[in-house]
Every structure is written in structure tokens, then in C-alpha cells.
């Protein structure tokens, strides 16, 4: 693509990152270091821990992954670091507060007062000085349902319901779906995707954080229709109980099976997850994109993404997408 696509210097790049949990937090922590107008779109299917308890008791969206995304957007000054720590603090008591995160309770209280998910999250974001916006992928609580081949029942499919149950299954997940199957997308999330310059998908728990965003019909349609470039970030390690035995190629096969109409412009992978046979490169090209390989972990053995390395990778990818478009394999 011609270099004329490069954004004018006076406008921040509009970037939307989708996912949940620690994976989305990693992307947001890196992207906020760049000159971006940043929005996180968060999976809201958690049914365990503090989030699950508040969801059951108050009938609200599970706030935990939203809290983590907001904490990731806190600045590096004293105010930001202090509020990030406060949000993530969990009570340790012998009573009913045990295990609850302060941020979950804060978000729940603001929602109850305002009666609006988006307005509540925006208000909390302003309190924190968050360097971006956080939105739920849908306005209603959802359940994840998975078809699983249990290890003690080979050849038979078993249906498992619930995010925690799917993430910890003693079996091989074949596919996931949502209940309800067509939840209404958050309108602001759809608008952000359609207006974005770039959309980042992953990393994160593949079946319970990454794929669910692609199963909300209005979000998936927006991801297909947007003129934004789509960047997929692969995980550094498999998740026990959810993606045991997966290769990088398997992750892409799963994504393509759940959203076959979705093209990907760039797949970002750490060198250690790439098989030198070239099969991943071929699969990425089959999705319409190119493979970029670069170290993005905190250390060679770590399964955590390093914010600075990931930010540098995003910067180079965005610049190359402006200048080159699709079609070439990169190794930095």
C-alpha cells in the first residue's frame, strides 16, 4: 500500500483491542505506550471467583476482565500506579468479602448508581486517568458452551457450560458457542471497530477470551466490514485444560473455523512458537495476511508478553501496514 495512507501527525492512531483477562491486558499495556486513541473490547463471560459471585448476586455483567483492562490503561505516574494497585487489590478475610477485588466492587457500585454499563466504565476510567476506553463486547451476561472430547471418553462429544468449566476441562475443546447465541453487541464497540485504523485480536485464552468476541454477530460483522487492518497476536504458551497440545497452526485453524469470513492482515508470533517448516507462514497467507516474527516475551522461558517489546512490534507493524500493505513475511 502507498505511504500516502500514513496518518497525519496531528491525529492519534485509532486502535481497538479485543479479548479478555491477562491477554487483553498485555495488549493494552503495550498499545497505551504508543500515540493511540485506544479502545479495549472485553469478553464478558466469566462465571467464577469475585466476578461470578457479583454476577449471580446482582445480575450484572462480570466485571473482572473489565477491571483488568482498566488497570492496564492506568498511567505510569504515581496516580496511575496507585489506582492500578487499588483496583487489583483483593480482600483477605474470614467473611463474605473474601476474594472480592476492589475494582469489581467499584464497577458494580457505579453501574448500580448510573444504570448504564458504558457510562459507568467511562466514569471509572476518568477517575483512574485511564489512557483509553474500555467497553464490554455485549450488554448482557453470556455463557460459553463448549463441545469437548473428554480424555476418558475418546470419540464422544460432551457439552460443557461455563467459562471456568471450559477453561479447566479435562478434555480437548473442539468448538465453542455462546448462550444466548446472538447477544446484542455494545453499540459503542461496533462504532469503534468500524472507525478504527487497526484492530488487535489476542493474545489470551483462545476459547474463552479470544474466540467469544468473534461469536457476537454484530461484532463479527463489524470486524469483517471495517477498513481497519487486523492484527492477530499469538500466545506464547498453551493453556492447560483449554489448548493442551495446540500448535500455532492449530490456533489459526480454530479461529478460521469459528469466523471463516474474517481476514487477518498480520499474525504476530514469537520465534519460539514458529515451526521452521514454513507451515505457519503458509497458513497465515491463506488467511490473507503475513507472518511477523519477533521476540515479545519477558524472557526466553516466560509465557508473559513484555509491554515494551510488544509495543515496539506493534509500532513496526503499524508503520509497515501503512507503507506496504499485505503480502510479505517479516522477521525482525
Amino acid at each position: 500500500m502507498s505511504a500516502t495512507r500514513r496518518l497525519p501527525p496531528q491525529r492519534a492512531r485509532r486502535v481497538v483491542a479485543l479479548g479478555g483477562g491477562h491477554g487483553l491486558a498485555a495488549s493494552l499495556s503495550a498499545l497505551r505506550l504508543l500515540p493511540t486513541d485506544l479502545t479495549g473490547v472485553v469478553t464478558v463471560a466469566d462465571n467464577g471467583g469475585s466476578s461470578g459471585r457479583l454476577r449471580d448476586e446482582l445480575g450484572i455483567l462480570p466485571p473482572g476482565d473489565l477491571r483488568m483492562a482498566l488497570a492496564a490503561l492506568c498511567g505510569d505516574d504515581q496516580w496511575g500506579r496507585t489506582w492500578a494497585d487499588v483496583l487489583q487489590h483483593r480482600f483477605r478475610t474470614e467473611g463474605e468479602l473474601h476474594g472480592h477485588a476492589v475494582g469489581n466492587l467499584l464497577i458494580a457500585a457505579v453501574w448500580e448508581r448510573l444504570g448504564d454499563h458504558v457510562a459507568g466504565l467511562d466514569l471509572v476510567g476518568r477517575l483512574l486517568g485511564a489512557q483509553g476506553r474500555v467497553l464490554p463486547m455485549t450488554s448482557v451476561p453470556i455463557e460459553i458452551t463448549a463441545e469437548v472430547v473428554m480424555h476418558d471418553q475418546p470419540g464422544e462429544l460432551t457439552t460443557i457450560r461455563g467459562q471456568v468449566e471450559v477453561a479447566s476441562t479435562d478434555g480437548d475443546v473442539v468448538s465453542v458457542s455462546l448462550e444466548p447465541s446472538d447477544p446484542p453487541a455494545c453499540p459503542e464497540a461496533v462504532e469503534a471497530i468500524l472507525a478504527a485504523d487497526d484492530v488487535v485480536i489476542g493474545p489470551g485464552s483462545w476459547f474463552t477470551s479470544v474466540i467469544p468476541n468473534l461469536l457476537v454477530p454484530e461484532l463479527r460483522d463489524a470486524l469483517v466490514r471495517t477498513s481497519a487492518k487486523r492484527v492477530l497476536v499469538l500466545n506464547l504458551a498453551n493453556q492447560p485444560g483449554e489448548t493442551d497440545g495446540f500448535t500455532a497452526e492449530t490456533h489459526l485453524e480454530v479461529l478460521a473455523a469459528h469466523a471463516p469470513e474474517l481476514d487477518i492482515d498480520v499474525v504476530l508470533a514469537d520465534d519460539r512458537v514458529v515451526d521452521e517448516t514454513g507451515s505457519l507462514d503458509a497458513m497465515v497467507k491463506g488467511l490473507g495476511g503475513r507472518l511477523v516474527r519477533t521476540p515479545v516475551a519477558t524472557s526466553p522461558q516466560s509465557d508473559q508478553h513484555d509491554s515494551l517489546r510488544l509495543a515496539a512490534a506493534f509500532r513496526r507493524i503499524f508503520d509497515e501496514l501503512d507503507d506496504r500493505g499485505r503480502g510479505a513475511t517479516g522477521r525482525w
Side-chain angles (χ1 to χ4, degrees):
M1 181 173 290
S2 167
T4 57
R5 183 183 181 274
R6 186 178 297 279
L7 297 177
Q10 67 270 23
R11 181 168 77 77
R13 195 175 198 97
R14 293 185 293 245
V15 181
V16 176
L18 297 96
H22 294 285
L24 177 60
S27 288
L28 294 176
S29 295
L31 289 165
R32 73 172 174 82
L33 301 176
L34 304 178
T36 58
D37 178 357
L38 182 57
T39 301
V41 177
V42 183
T43 299
V44 284
D46 194 0
N47 65 333
S50 171
S51 285
R53 290 158 61 193
L54 291 170
R55 171 179 175 164
D56 291 342
E57 183 172 344
L58 301 177
I60 61 174
L61 296 179
D65 283 0
L66 296 159
R67 179 199 83 243
M68 291 183 65
L70 284 165
L73 291 176
C74 287
D76 293 320
D77 57 3
Q78 184 177 3
W79 181 271
R81 291 193 300 271
T82 299
W83 270 111
D85 289 342
V86 170
L87 280 186
Q88 302 289 48
H89 175 76
R90 290 186 184 272
F91 292 100
R92 296 289 179 259
T93 77
E94 298 298 324
E96 303 253 340
L97 273 178
H98 180 74
H100 274 305
V102 171
N104 290 354
L105 299 175
L106 174 62
I107 292 169
V110 172
W111 281 345
E112 189 168 286
R113 294 294 297 172
L114 297 185
D116 186 298
H117 294 115
V118 172
L121 291 167
D122 285 345
L123 178 61
V124 175
R126 289 197 297 273
L127 170 66
L128 307 177
Q131 299 174 24
R133 194 181 196 192
V134 171
L135 300 169
M137 72 176 188
T138 178
S139 57
V140 298
I142 59 171
E143 292 285 2
I144 294 176
T145 300
E147 296 298 313
V148 179
V149 177
M150 304 302 292
H151 294 158
D152 60 354
Q153 296 177 323
E156 296 184 24
L157 282 178
T158 299
T159 300
I160 295 179
R161 190 169 183 265
Q163 185 268 336
V164 172
E165 291 75 13
V166 173
S168 59
T169 181
D170 184 25
D172 298 322
V173 180
V174 176
S175 65
V176 290
S177 58
L178 302 182
E179 294 182 5
S181 61
D182 57 348
C186 172
E188 292 83 357
V190 172
E191 292 171 8
I193 291 170
L194 292 176
D197 298 301
D198 308 278
V199 173
V200 175
I201 304 170
S205 301
W206 216 243
F207 285 108
T208 54
S209 290
V210 176
I211 298 297
N213 282 282
L214 309 181
L215 301 181
V216 178
E218 292 171 293
L219 278 188
R220 183 175 62 246
D221 180 62
L223 287 167
V224 170
R225 292 193 295 120
T226 184
S227 61
K229 296 301 184 181
R230 306 166 192 88
V231 179
L232 179 68
V233 184
L234 289 179
N235 292 338
L236 295 167
N238 292 338
Q239 181 173 337
E242 187 170 324
T243 55
D244 278 326
F246 272 34
T247 63
E249 290 85 349
T250 311
H251 284 79
L252 294 187
E253 289 170 357
V254 166
L255 184 137
H258 285 83
E261 66 273 48
L262 181 66
D263 288 334
I264 300 295
D265 293 278
V266 172
V267 173
L268 173 61
D270 192 274
D271 271 340
R272 76 186 199 209
V273 306
V274 179
D275 189 316
E276 295 298 338
T277 62
S279 58
L280 180 60
D281 183 26
M283 182 170 290
V284 172
K285 288 180 178 177
L287 293 174
R290 65 185 182 90
L291 174 64
V292 168
R293 300 167 53 178
T294 190
V296 288
T298 55
S299 69
Q301 290 76 39
S302 174
D303 62 357
Q304 301 295 315
H305 287 81
D306 180 84
S307 295
L308 292 177
R309 288 178 173 175
L310 196 54
F314 283 139
R315 183 188 293 276
R316 291 180 178 180
I317 287 171
F318 295 157
D319 286 346
E320 288 200 4
L321 284 171
D322 284 348
D323 293 340
R324 295 171 55 192
R326 302 180 185 178
T329 301
R331 183 172 184 173
W332 298 328

